[in-house]
Amino acid sequence: MAKLVRTADGRSGWLVRERIEPVDDAIAALETGGPPAGDAPLPEGLTLPFDPPEVWCAGVTYERSRRARVEETQVQDVYSLVYDADRPELFLKDAGGRRTVGPDEPIGVRGESTWTVPEPELALVLGRDARIVGATAGNDVTSRDIEALNPLYLPQAKIFASACALGPVVLTPDEWPDVFEIHCRIVGPDGGVVWESATSTAQMKRSFEELVAWLARDNPLAPGTVLLTGTGLVPPDDVALAPGQRVEVSVSGIGTLANPVGAAADLLGKERSAGNV
């Protein structure tokens, strides 16, 4: 399997043993594939592997997510209906990279939210013609209390400063495991574990290909677009993110995406160039 990374100095490349083999264009490299990484350890200081022009998310793709959203909302039928419907829930999380961060960068918590949680997910990277060219770990940070008030508040619950994290590597599909194991934990300022749980993509109701096909239907997608495939892990209602904590999302074959938690208001003004891939 090949692993694409980007270092703190902005160099993208393939991870090969004790070095990184540079590439000029990360997405073009993913479309053609790269050398196997073998058991090469991940170097320190990795950043967002590339700058996605858009990040999309799928929702209610796991039974656990359906149950959680039914339990928390005042409008229960909409989530049960979409879980069983042909058409999945799809929504735009970010465009231009203004709200997406990489490893070790802070993720945000909305100031008016009392229940913001991580949503650990497998994220698909799409090339030309919406072809799946890689996968990475993702965190679709969500203000669940805001969405619970009314499903029409979904954009405000999902879209705010540093509400999305991706990384640390992009794994090419040639040797993907049959099932991706996904583990998440929240670590407090004192180093203690606040909450942790695990699931796998075997628990998904929909396939990757199905989700991508719906996303691409009548919808122009630039190469490098990312689709997060939904979460099967939802913290209980007495666990909420707060500044000073750290979230760790680990995906088999990919590694651990770790991010400190900060106040979204303090993270405003972040700009990324979507063309810098």
Side-chain angles (χ1 to χ4, degrees):
M1 62 182 69
K3 295 181 178 181
L4 186 85
V5 300
R6 185 162 66 179
T7 56
D9 59 5
R11 293 183 303 126
S12 293
W14 297 110
L15 182 63
V16 182
R17 292 197 180 93
E18 302 300 324
R19 63 185 179 86
I20 295 175
E21 185 177 299
V23 300
D24 294 327
D25 184 318
I27 302 305
L30 286 169
E31 289 179 325
T32 57
D39 58 357
L42 294 184
E44 296 183 359
L46 294 181
T47 64
L48 188 67
F50 64 95
D51 294 308
E54 293 180 344
V55 178
W56 292 76
C57 293
V60 201
T61 57
Y62 290 75
E63 168 62 17
R64 177 66 185 95
S65 178
R66 184 199 67 80
R67 284 190 287 109
R69 290 170 81 174
V70 165
E71 290 165 1
E72 72 197 25
T73 187
Q74 300 178 34
V75 188
Q76 298 184 4
D77 286 348
V78 294
Y79 297 110
S80 292
L81 288 172
V82 77
Y83 183 76
D84 293 320
D86 289 337
R87 181 185 294 273
E89 178 191 16
L90 295 167
F91 56 89
L92 185 64
K93 179 76 172 180
D94 190 20
R98 293 180 179 86
R99 303 165 188 86
T100 301
V101 301
D104 300 317
E105 294 185 90
I107 52 175
V109 174
R110 291 193 75 121
E112 75 271 37
S113 174
T114 59
W115 188 31
T116 294
V117 298
E119 293 195 2
E121 310 186 19
L122 185 77
L124 303 175
V125 181
L126 308 182
R128 288 170 293 182
D129 300 319
R131 182 168 67 91
I132 300 172
V133 296
T136 191
N139 188 350
D140 170 23
V141 185
T142 301
S143 298
R144 296 194 78 108
D145 57 324
I146 294 176
E147 182 185 0
L149 291 173
N150 190 312
L152 294 179
Y153 293 157
L154 177 69
Q156 297 171 75
K158 293 286 189 178
I159 303 172
F160 48 91
S162 299
C164 181
L166 299 170
V169 309
V170 180
L171 182 68
T172 55
D174 48 342
E175 293 186 37
W176 280 3
D178 292 334
V179 171
F180 285 95
E181 303 292 337
I182 302 172
H183 178 270
C184 181
R185 69 175 179 173
I186 302 172
V187 180
D190 61 355
V193 176
V194 175
W195 172 83
E196 66 179 328
S197 189
T199 188
S200 79
T201 54
Q203 303 303 312
M204 289 181 64
K205 177 181 176 63
R206 304 177 188 269
S207 70
F208 300 155
E209 292 76 14
E210 177 186 0
L211 293 173
V212 171
W214 276 103
L215 179 64
R217 184 173 297 192
D218 298 333
N219 185 23
L221 300 175
T225 294
V226 171
L227 172 61
L228 279 75
T229 56
T231 189
L233 298 176
V234 181
D237 55 12
D238 61 346
V239 174
L241 291 181
Q245 295 175 337
R246 186 175 77 254
V247 176
E248 299 173 355
V249 177
S250 299
V251 180
S252 54
I254 291 171
T256 298
L257 170 64
N259 299 94
V261 180
D266 296 336
L267 303 174
L268 293 173
K270 176 181 172 297
E271 297 286 343
R272 285 191 187 275
S273 170
N276 179 22
V277 297

